[in-house]
Amino acid sequence: MEYSGGGGGATLSEMYQSARRLLLSARDGVARVERLASAPTSSSYYSAPLVGGGAPGDPAVGEEVRREVAQIQGLCAQMDRLWRSIPGKGQRDLWKRKVEQLSEEVDSLKETIDRHTLRQQKRILEAKERAELFERANGESSHVLRIFDDEAQAMQSARSSSRMLEEAYETGVAILHKYADQRDRLKSAQRKALDVLNTVGLSNSVLKLIERRHRVDKWIAYAGMIITVVVMIAFWRLTH
């Protein structure tokens, strides 16, 4: 649609009506984009690409809203030139307020679209980072599992070695106990042998004492016999 600078208010009014229709359509598109953005199950909200830096959600809707915003801004620039050429001060001030209000509304709409765009770009970046992190986690999980397996095998080997050491220790303790029992038995046998030897030694002493006493008794008997014979001989001689 062509807009000429002639005709003053009439042309400005047509441009203003066109801008208002575009503004309503753009608001409609922003509302659709916000509904798509607020739907948690909407796959287009997360996966749809941005076309020409469009709004989140349906890329066609975002592109259409941006195109309408650009058209409104262009109309506002033209109307800003036109209202300045209106001769009547009252009409000029009226159109100035209308154009300024329209510019503020379209600027607010553009800021809304830009915020949605930034949020969507941030979400896409976060989703990409999560996907990369998930891929790295999947890639590293096998390595982690291998590490766990190695550690489990090492722990199993350590437990086996500990069990073998415990068995060897128990065997050594049993052998020492056997040696201790044998030593006790040897000591007991040694004490018995010493007792036997002591008993034998005492018996020898008694036998020697008995033999000595027997010899003494024998000499006493011989002496008594000799004395008796001498006494008898002396008595016989005295009596005869």
Side-chain angles (χ1 to χ4, degrees), residues 16-40:
Y16 181 77
Q17 293 299 324
S18 297
R20 294 299 301 180
R21 286 194 296 271
L22 289 171
L23 183 62
L24 290 174
S25 177
R27 283 177 177 172
D28 235 12
V30 170
R32 290 174 58 191
V33 167
E34 289 178 344
R35 285 196 300 272
L36 290 172
S38 62

Side-chain angles (χ1 to χ4, degrees), residues 140-159:
E140 293 175 356
S141 61
S142 59
H143 178 65
V144 173
L145 289 175
R146 284 196 299 273
I147 292 175
F148 286 160
D149 290 340
D150 293 341
E151 291 182 354
Q153 291 178 0
M155 292 177 65
Q156 184 65 28
S157 299
R159 284 194 293 267

Side-chain angles (χ1 to χ4, degrees), residues 72-179:
I72 296 170
Q73 288 175 333
L75 289 173
C76 287
Q78 294 181 35
M79 287 188 292
D80 188 67
R81 290 193 302 269
L82 290 177
W83 68 260
R84 297 176 188 277
S85 63
I86 297 176
K89 185 177 184 303
Q91 287 293 321
R92 188 168 61 248
D93 291 341
L94 176 63
W95 281 106
K96 177 184 177 183
R97 286 194 299 271
K98 286 184 176 182
V99 173
E100 287 177 350
Q101 183 181 1
L102 184 62
S103 297
E104 290 174 358
E105 290 179 359
V106 75
D107 288 341
S108 175
L109 194 63
K110 185 176 183 300
E111 289 177 1
T112 302
I113 292 297
D114 290 340
R115 283 196 301 270
H116 278 289
T117 300
L118 290 176
R119 282 198 296 268
Q120 177 65 2
Q121 289 174 347
K122 183 179 179 180
R123 291 188 183 103
I124 291 175
L125 181 60
E126 290 175 352
K128 185 182 294 184
E129 290 176 352
R130 285 195 298 270
E132 291 176 354
L133 181 62
F134 183 73
E135 291 177 358
R136 286 198 301 269
N138 286 338
E140 293 175 356
S141 61
S142 59
H143 178 65
V144 173
L145 289 175
R146 284 196 299 273
I147 292 175
F148 286 160
D149 290 340
D150 293 341
E151 291 182 354
Q153 291 178 0
M155 292 177 65
Q156 184 65 28
S157 299
R159 284 194 293 267
S160 300
S161 300
S162 177
R163 188 166 55 251
M164 291 174 64
L165 289 174
E166 290 177 357
E167 292 176 355
Y169 174 77
E170 292 175 356
T171 303
V173 169
I175 292 172
L176 290 176
H177 281 309
K178 289 181 180 179
Y179 284 158

